[in-house]
Amino acid sequence: MSDHNAPELNPTPGERFTKFLKRKDVLETLGWAVFYTTGFVILGGKFYTKWMPTMMSTDMRAIERLMVIFTWISAPVCGFVLSMATYTFRHGHRGDTPPEDGPATRTNRLGISLFGVMSSLLALVAILYGLIELNSSAEAATKDAPNAMVVEVTGSQWVWSFNYPAQGVTSNELMLPINKPVIFKIISEDVNHSFWPVQLGVKADANRYQTTTVQTKPNKLGAFDVKCAELCGLYHAYMETNGAVVTTADFNNWVTAQGGHTA
Amino acid sequence: MTTLDNRVSSRPIPNPSKSLITKLNAGTGLVVGIIFALGTYYLLNNNSSDDATVNFQHYNRTLLASMLMWSVGFLVGIGAFIGPWRWLIGKDLTAEEQLYLAGDGQGIKRYFKYCTDHKVVGIQYLVGVITMLAVGGTMAMMIRTNLAMPGGHFITASVYNSLVGLHGITMIIAMIIVATGPFGNFIMPIMIGAADMAFPRLNALSWWVLFTAIPVLCSAWFLGGIPTGWTAYAPLSIQAGPGMNAFLATIIIFAFSTAVAGANITATVVAMRAKGMSWNRVPIFVIGATISVALAVPAFPTFMLAMIQTALDRTFMTSFFDANFGGSGWLYAHLFWIMGHPEVYVILIPGVAILMEIVPVFVRKPLFSYTSAIVGFAGIAGLSVLVWAHHMYMSGWMPMLNGPFMVTTEMISIPTGLIFLVILGTLWNGKPWLKMPMLCVYAFLWNMLVGGITGLYLSDVPADNYLHGSMYVTAHFHYTLMGSALTGAVAGLVYWFPKMTGRMFNERSSYVAFWFIQLGFQVLYLGMFTAGAEGQPRRVVDYADTFHVSNMVSTIGAYGVGIGFIVLLWGVVHSWRHGIIAPMNPWGAKTLEWTVPYPVPLVNFDTPPVVTSDPYGYGKAVK
Ligand SMILES: [Cu+2]
Ligand SMILES: [Cu+2]
């Protein structure tokens, strides 16, 4: 594999490694690897933060963070793949006759082992990160549950309706008080829908006769979108409504105006 | 195998005897099929009840039965049952008849017959697949055109939903057969040094059964379309109009076809390999195709079962999936995804395997770590049956199991890594010959990288809380299915075109098509990823103004892809008719299909080949 023909008497692994690093193709490939890895690290930090909507709950914040971190975990993989691709592509052979034969390398135990270990480690990091995130959101939900407000969400072709049992209010708009945990109990009157308050970063299907539950805590004032994320027939695209996170006072005023009672 | 012995014998081609076999073809199939369908329809169609529900169920029964009977009738009319019938009465086809069925010396006519020659079946699949891709692609262009602007007034919501579903199922069917159909049938038997498939008549059967599914699927359009997408979730599917029957019948017929084809391909690879071709000398495409069909064996019957149950719910008010009568929509979702996720790899693995076949030829190096390639494919296939519920994280079915399904799903990244390792290891230290098939390898590396990484986000439960059901998902799976698997199949088309048609694929059109498709593809799905990140649900006819820019970008990219595929299609037609006559082995490859001339003789090899090494013996010895 070495470019040199000089016979050498058992070079140490260290010597072989330094020699490997001095190869022109290795250097150029390493350059590309750094370029792509950096590129994806920057992209990961920019793309999702730019395009994902306002984060209005800790769940949504966790999601955005996760997207960024997963991109960072993948950045070295991108660097590895794209650098080797770029190098060989740049030094490819053009023309109508096949190129000369390359070295008849059939395997490389060290390379394969390193690759196997590295890719398994990266997968492990992603798995652990996901599990930890899943667990911490479940823990937060359990902690918040006792003082949560319940909203019963009903999906039907093609409207959402929201019932606040404690307040005695039913509405087609989803009003939520800030910093108050909320439990959505979701059901469908007909086919499957999927309840998606976009900026809150939670989602759950609405099934017939089976209540699904999802919990979050809005922590930012403002309007958000409620959409349907499961194809539910003709007007699926239009099955959306407005939501808003408001101050507790505003929420109470709204409840009163709707004819409900505040606790 | 007796078939072959008979054929090799130097019997003269029989003069078209009075045998029924010589008179049957796709035309008679069509006539008998239509008679069967119409006959069934008129026999059953008597809506006597006053109850609209009862009438509707009866109408569904009538339509379904007519569609399935069309398929049976066509097969009767084309002569598919002559062989089985003879067996039933204790005989078999005569040697002359078998030779006749192989279609030797019958020119273009044999493509319209129940022809057992694997090369004819391969060409039939190729033309069928190209047609399906063209139809599915046109639907995609209509979808993207409608989505160019908010407002969605180019087509109505009902037509749009139907387009989404029909585009989906047309493409899924086309992609399942895109590699194993044309190349698995035409090339693979030659690659392993066989004279034909293990069961030539089953081979013809698999194609013609599949063929009968096409008009059935088209009929959905005239029966009011389908509102369900290709996932056909219950209870939406139970509520759906008569077009749904066409969908159900299509899947039932298609699943039958894949079961037959899968059994045949597996048997061929196991039993018909040339002398000396031990398992470690089998070309990697053959390994990939076999793993793919083996994975399909448990997957598609599940799909078929789910469709039969849906049909029963619709026609007899059983309640497998209808919650109103005690059924469960989750049960459907399980059955669907137990098929649906392995199906992704049924599609992907042969596409990747084609590229792995191509890389050593164009880099002039042995395939790097053949064992890793097999471990990669097998690992992916093995894990893929354990991940299905990642499509159901938000369904509420069993939130406790989301974690385990996340773990299995993310573990797939490890064998997938091996795929990259094999291709990159082969490229490294080599000087790739940058012909169009080789460019496809590079496109694959990028597309699979993007598809894989975005799949990582989607497999993660918290992130999926946001991404599930959004345009992000749509972009992701197009990167894997279209960007990776279809790119592999297109590379295979250009690579094997000389062997299948005797002519070289027009080079200029292959490059123009490649760049239009691949660059357009990046623009198309960058726009769609962005729309998804912004929070646009998928399968929507219309969207809020905020998503306009990303959708517009996406549509522009789609037109690039569209132009690319038109150029590619032109390249196929033009090269097939006027292309440069190909030498026997234009790429200098070492697999067996390049040792036979064009047109490939009926039994492929004059003398059965003997294999002494794997087909990757390229390269200068390493000191
Ligand atoms: Cu919907
Ligand atoms: Cu899946």
mmCIF file of all heavy atoms in Angstrom, chain A residues 120-143:
data_model
loop_
_atom_site.group_PDB
_atom_site.id
_atom_site.type_symbol
_atom_site.label_atom_id
_atom_site.label_comp_id
_atom_site.label_asym_id
_atom_site.label_seq_id
_atom_site.Cartn_x
_atom_site.Cartn_y
_atom_site.Cartn_z
ATOM 1 N N SER A 120 -20.350 2.021 15.248
ATOM 2 C CA SER A 120 -21.185 1.521 16.336
ATOM 3 C C SER A 120 -21.216 2.520 17.483
ATOM 4 O O SER A 120 -22.265 2.746 18.101
ATOM 5 C CB SER A 120 -20.654 0.188 16.852
ATOM 6 O OG SER A 120 -20.485 -0.696 15.781
ATOM 7 N N LEU A 121 -20.075 3.147 17.750
ATOM 8 C CA LEU A 121 -20.042 4.136 18.826
ATOM 9 C C LEU A 121 -20.962 5.311 18.524
ATOM 10 O O LEU A 121 -21.717 5.766 19.384
ATOM 11 C CB LEU A 121 -18.610 4.647 19.025
ATOM 12 C CG LEU A 121 -17.715 3.779 19.917
ATOM 13 C CD1 LEU A 121 -16.319 4.380 20.024
ATOM 14 C CD2 LEU A 121 -18.341 3.653 21.309
ATOM 15 N N LEU A 122 -20.893 5.795 17.282
ATOM 16 C CA LEU A 122 -21.750 6.928 16.923
ATOM 17 C C LEU A 122 -23.224 6.548 17.049
ATOM 18 O O LEU A 122 -24.036 7.316 17.558
ATOM 19 C CB LEU A 122 -21.441 7.397 15.498
ATOM 20 C CG LEU A 122 -20.158 8.211 15.362
ATOM 21 C CD1 LEU A 122 -19.852 8.476 13.904
ATOM 22 C CD2 LEU A 122 -20.274 9.527 16.126
ATOM 23 N N ALA A 123 -23.553 5.320 16.585
ATOM 24 C CA ALA A 123 -24.942 4.869 16.718
ATOM 25 C C ALA A 123 -25.322 4.792 18.186
ATOM 26 O O ALA A 123 -26.410 5.208 18.589
ATOM 27 C CB ALA A 123 -25.117 3.506 16.053
ATOM 28 N N LEU A 124 -24.393 4.315 19.011
ATOM 29 C CA LEU A 124 -24.657 4.192 20.440
ATOM 30 C C LEU A 124 -24.912 5.569 21.062
ATOM 31 O O LEU A 124 -25.844 5.742 21.863
ATOM 32 C CB LEU A 124 -23.451 3.522 21.116
ATOM 33 C CG LEU A 124 -23.674 3.090 22.549
ATOM 34 C CD1 LEU A 124 -24.655 1.927 22.579
ATOM 35 C CD2 LEU A 124 -22.352 2.690 23.193
ATOM 36 N N VAL A 125 -24.099 6.544 20.679
ATOM 37 C CA VAL A 125 -24.289 7.898 21.207
ATOM 38 C C VAL A 125 -25.680 8.404 20.836
ATOM 39 O O VAL A 125 -26.414 8.936 21.676
ATOM 40 C CB VAL A 125 -23.202 8.842 20.651
ATOM 41 C CG1 VAL A 125 -23.513 10.284 21.031
ATOM 42 C CG2 VAL A 125 -21.841 8.441 21.169
ATOM 43 N N ALA A 126 -26.049 8.199 19.555
ATOM 44 C CA ALA A 126 -27.367 8.667 19.120
ATOM 45 C C ALA A 126 -28.470 7.965 19.906
ATOM 46 O O ALA A 126 -29.428 8.597 20.366
ATOM 47 C CB ALA A 126 -27.541 8.414 17.622
ATOM 48 N N ILE A 127 -28.320 6.650 20.092
ATOM 49 C CA ILE A 127 -29.344 5.894 20.816
ATOM 50 C C ILE A 127 -29.440 6.390 22.260
ATOM 51 O O ILE A 127 -30.524 6.687 22.770
ATOM 52 C CB ILE A 127 -29.013 4.382 20.793
ATOM 53 C CG1 ILE A 127 -29.220 3.820 19.389
ATOM 54 C CG2 ILE A 127 -29.856 3.631 21.801
ATOM 55 C CD1 ILE A 127 -28.731 2.395 19.208
ATOM 56 N N LEU A 128 -28.277 6.527 22.918
ATOM 57 C CA LEU A 128 -28.283 6.950 24.319
ATOM 58 C C LEU A 128 -28.867 8.350 24.452
ATOM 59 O O LEU A 128 -29.701 8.609 25.319
ATOM 60 C CB LEU A 128 -26.859 6.928 24.883
ATOM 61 C CG LEU A 128 -26.326 5.527 25.182
ATOM 62 C CD1 LEU A 128 -24.918 5.599 25.712
ATOM 63 C CD2 LEU A 128 -27.249 4.823 26.179
ATOM 64 N N TYR A 129 -28.458 9.232 23.569
ATOM 65 C CA TYR A 129 -28.971 10.595 23.628
ATOM 66 C C TYR A 129 -30.496 10.583 23.501
ATOM 67 O O TYR A 129 -31.206 11.237 24.269
ATOM 68 C CB TYR A 129 -28.338 11.442 22.528
ATOM 69 C CG TYR A 129 -28.712 12.897 22.635
ATOM 70 C CD1 TYR A 129 -28.012 13.746 23.479
ATOM 71 C CD2 TYR A 129 -29.793 13.416 21.908
ATOM 72 C CE1 TYR A 129 -28.371 15.071 23.606
ATOM 73 C CE2 TYR A 129 -30.155 14.735 22.031
ATOM 74 C CZ TYR A 129 -29.438 15.565 22.879
ATOM 75 O OH TYR A 129 -29.799 16.871 23.006
ATOM 76 N N GLY A 130 -30.989 9.816 22.517
ATOM 77 C CA GLY A 130 -32.433 9.736 22.322
ATOM 78 C C GLY A 130 -33.141 9.173 23.534
ATOM 79 O O GLY A 130 -34.163 9.701 23.977
ATOM 80 N N LEU A 131 -32.564 8.115 24.128
ATOM 81 C CA LEU A 131 -33.209 7.487 25.290
ATOM 82 C C LEU A 131 -33.229 8.439 26.482
ATOM 83 O O LEU A 131 -34.229 8.533 27.204
ATOM 84 C CB LEU A 131 -32.478 6.190 25.656
ATOM 85 C CG LEU A 131 -32.738 4.992 24.735
ATOM 86 C CD1 LEU A 131 -31.872 3.818 25.151
ATOM 87 C CD2 LEU A 131 -34.219 4.609 24.765
ATOM 88 N N ILE A 132 -32.115 9.142 26.673
ATOM 89 C CA ILE A 132 -32.051 10.081 27.800
ATOM 90 C C ILE A 132 -33.088 11.189 27.616
ATOM 91 O O ILE A 132 -33.835 11.541 28.543
ATOM 92 C CB ILE A 132 -30.626 10.669 27.920
ATOM 93 C CG1 ILE A 132 -29.670 9.565 28.396
ATOM 94 C CG2 ILE A 132 -30.600 11.844 28.873
ATOM 95 C CD1 ILE A 132 -28.210 9.907 28.268
ATOM 96 N N GLU A 133 -33.148 11.703 26.404
ATOM 97 C CA GLU A 133 -34.107 12.774 26.104
ATOM 98 C C GLU A 133 -35.541 12.286 26.337
ATOM 99 O O GLU A 133 -36.366 12.977 26.946
ATOM 100 C CB GLU A 133 -33.913 13.199 24.649
ATOM 101 C CG GLU A 133 -34.511 14.521 24.267
ATOM 102 C CD GLU A 133 -33.817 15.685 24.966
ATOM 103 O OE1 GLU A 133 -32.610 15.894 24.763
ATOM 104 O OE2 GLU A 133 -34.510 16.370 25.736
ATOM 105 N N LEU A 134 -35.795 11.068 25.872
ATOM 106 C CA LEU A 134 -37.127 10.480 26.032
ATOM 107 C C LEU A 134 -37.472 10.355 27.511
ATOM 108 O O LEU A 134 -38.558 10.711 27.963
ATOM 109 C CB LEU A 134 -37.120 9.091 25.385
ATOM 110 C CG LEU A 134 -38.459 8.400 25.138
ATOM 111 C CD1 LEU A 134 -39.295 9.236 24.200
ATOM 112 C CD2 LEU A 134 -38.211 7.021 24.543
ATOM 113 N N ASN A 135 -36.496 9.886 28.271
ATOM 114 C CA ASN A 135 -36.702 9.683 29.688
ATOM 115 C C ASN A 135 -36.911 11.001 30.411
ATOM 116 O O ASN A 135 -37.806 11.132 31.249
ATOM 117 C CB ASN A 135 -35.484 8.947 30.259
ATOM 118 C CG ASN A 135 -35.717 8.531 31.681
ATOM 119 O OD1 ASN A 135 -36.768 7.976 31.978
ATOM 120 N ND2 ASN A 135 -34.769 8.820 32.548
ATOM 121 N N SER A 136 -36.119 12.007 30.065
ATOM 122 C CA SER A 136 -36.240 13.257 30.806
ATOM 123 C C SER A 136 -37.565 13.937 30.490
ATOM 124 O O SER A 136 -38.172 14.550 31.365
ATOM 125 C CB SER A 136 -35.050 14.179 30.513
ATOM 126 O OG SER A 136 -35.144 14.679 29.215
ATOM 127 N N SER A 137 -38.054 13.792 29.251
ATOM 128 C CA SER A 137 -39.342 14.416 28.964
ATOM 129 C C SER A 137 -40.462 13.652 29.679
ATOM 130 O O SER A 137 -41.424 14.245 30.162
ATOM 131 C CB SER A 137 -39.595 14.505 27.457
ATOM 132 O OG SER A 137 -39.992 13.265 26.953
ATOM 133 N N ALA A 138 -40.282 12.324 29.808
ATOM 134 C CA ALA A 138 -41.284 11.549 30.535
ATOM 135 C C ALA A 138 -41.283 11.931 32.016
ATOM 136 O O ALA A 138 -42.330 12.067 32.646
ATOM 137 C CB ALA A 138 -41.012 10.055 30.378
ATOM 138 N N GLU A 139 -40.071 12.145 32.576
ATOM 139 C CA GLU A 139 -39.980 12.530 33.984
ATOM 140 C C GLU A 139 -40.612 13.890 34.239
ATOM 141 O O GLU A 139 -41.358 14.082 35.192
ATOM 142 C CB GLU A 139 -38.509 12.566 34.415
ATOM 143 C CG GLU A 139 -38.059 11.257 35.036
ATOM 144 C CD GLU A 139 -36.576 11.252 35.355
ATOM 145 O OE1 GLU A 139 -35.929 12.318 35.265
ATOM 146 O OE2 GLU A 139 -36.075 10.169 35.667
ATOM 147 N N ALA A 140 -40.302 14.828 33.332
ATOM 148 C CA ALA A 140 -40.876 16.165 33.477
ATOM 149 C C ALA A 140 -42.398 16.078 33.438
ATOM 150 O O ALA A 140 -43.100 16.732 34.225
ATOM 151 C CB ALA A 140 -40.365 17.076 32.373
ATOM 152 N N ALA A 141 -42.904 15.239 32.534
ATOM 153 C CA ALA A 141 -44.350 15.109 32.402
ATOM 154 C C ALA A 141 -44.964 14.548 33.688
ATOM 155 O O ALA A 141 -45.990 15.028 34.163
ATOM 156 C CB ALA A 141 -44.683 14.214 31.218
ATOM 157 N N THR A 142 -44.303 13.530 34.255
ATOM 158 C CA THR A 142 -44.834 12.939 35.483
ATOM 159 C C THR A 142 -44.856 13.979 36.610
ATOM 160 O O THR A 142 -45.794 14.036 37.405
ATOM 161 C CB THR A 142 -43.958 11.747 35.919
ATOM 162 O OG1 THR A 142 -43.557 11.051 34.755
ATOM 163 C CG2 THR A 142 -44.688 10.831 36.855
ATOM 164 N N LYS A 143 -43.804 14.776 36.667
ATOM 165 C CA LYS A 143 -43.712 15.773 37.729
ATOM 166 C C LYS A 143 -44.809 16.828 37.569
ATOM 167 O O LYS A 143 -45.421 17.261 38.543
ATOM 168 C CB LYS A 143 -42.329 16.433 37.672
ATOM 169 C CG LYS A 143 -41.867 17.008 39.005
ATOM 170 C CD LYS A 143 -40.494 17.636 38.862
ATOM 171 C CE LYS A 143 -40.651 19.000 38.274
ATOM 172 N NZ LYS A 143 -39.595 19.550 37.501
#
